[in-house]
Amino acid sequence: MEDPIFLFYYKCILCILLCSLVNAFTLKDEQNLHTTLLSGYNSNLHPGMNRSVPLNVSISFHLSYLKEFQEYSGKFSVNGFFIMNWLDDRLKWDPNSYDELLDTRFPQDILWIPNLVNSNPFEKIFGLGSKLISVEVSSSGNCKWIPYQSFNVICDVDVTKYPFDTQQCAINFFLWGYKDKEVDIQFTSSIVGFNHYKHHGIWDVFKSETQKRLSPDGYSEIIIKLWLKRRNAYYISNLIIPMFSISLLMGFAFLLPLVSGERVGFITTVSLSYIVFLTIVLGKLPESSEPSSAIICYILMIFVMNGSISTALVIVGLRMHEAPRDKPVPNLLKKIVSFNYRSSKIEISSEVAPSNTKTNGFTEAVEENISWADIAKLFDKLCLIFSTIECVLLIIVYFCLVL
């Protein structure tokens, strides 16, 4: 009696050998097939026996890498590939005549392929694929072409909300030489494939769209749209926080003691730091002002102008502090200081009125004793308050506009 385990393994090995013999075609079989199929084949004529019916080409796009996006030049570079399928009746064969040869491959330059040409290139016009890429053909005449390529295109940049901006870039292709009634290209999916995508360090692709559009002349235009969102953690920590932190220091120049003699130097240093920030930002942004310049540039320009105004105010305050005691003080300034004294009980450098003087009356004797030093103290206080309020308001307005 035979061992059942031995019979089981014997049958398994026999099945494996039979399966391996199914596709036991040779190199000569494939060479004969290529010779037969390419005999009389004209790659300049698109497939389809009935010319009144358009050739259907299914297409999908898959993104691999986002190489770079240069805001100042508008250059948008990605790596990706198309998957295209169509039926070419001229490439059909009977697998039984070639030892069950079910599929083969041809270089793309000897077969007809959809002639897609990039219509918004950054440098020069280019088509898809290369001599290194082949077309996979099955015995039923189905052709599958997967051209992998690097695409460098022009993208209109909108840096209004930089560095919290989002960008929309498109890669456009025309089916050159064939109208829609001859070759009908249809996307198999309305979005881009991301199965092979590797994340970029600066940009996130948060939305995609694929669409076909007909030109007025009846030619098909293939459009691949990508929406990008900037990863802004780096910019927040290295640009936004330092910029607004320095802006808060602007008003503190009016708190520096006069004896230090550093007021003008301090405010000038702060103003120059804004010019440095503005230079850095402008070096990364395009010169075009359409659709709008970056909001951060306007904020920096306001800070630069504030630095100039604050420098002038510091000089004016110093002049008040150093004014001669015998120089008369205008009555309007005396009234302002006296009103501030009644409301906030601020000390004045002059001799205060007698103890029986009522605050709400604030006698003429006290007003007469107000000097330019008292005016300068109030002037410094007001400059500090206005500078701080303005800085806080600019911060609030900026984030309301960009977020």
Side-chain angles (χ1 to χ4, degrees), residues 364-384:
E364 295 181 359
V366 173
E367 288 189 8
E368 288 297 327
N369 288 329
I370 293 176
S371 66
W372 281 105
D374 301 316
I375 303 295
K377 288 180 181 180
L378 179 59
F379 181 77
D380 290 342
K381 176 183 176 181
L382 293 177
C383 288
L384 172 62

Side-chain angles (χ1 to χ4, degrees), residues 305-343:
M305 290 188 292
N306 284 348
S308 302
I309 295 173
S310 298
T311 302
L313 293 177
V314 165
I315 295 174
V316 171
L318 292 175
R319 295 284 295 177
M320 290 182 184
H321 278 285
E322 300 299 328
R325 295 183 61 85
D326 57 349
K327 183 178 181 180
V329 179
N331 292 329
L332 177 61
L333 296 180
K334 290 182 179 181
K335 293 184 179 298
I336 293 175
V337 173
S338 63
F339 174 79
N340 182 71
Y341 174 79
R342 293 198 301 270
S343 60

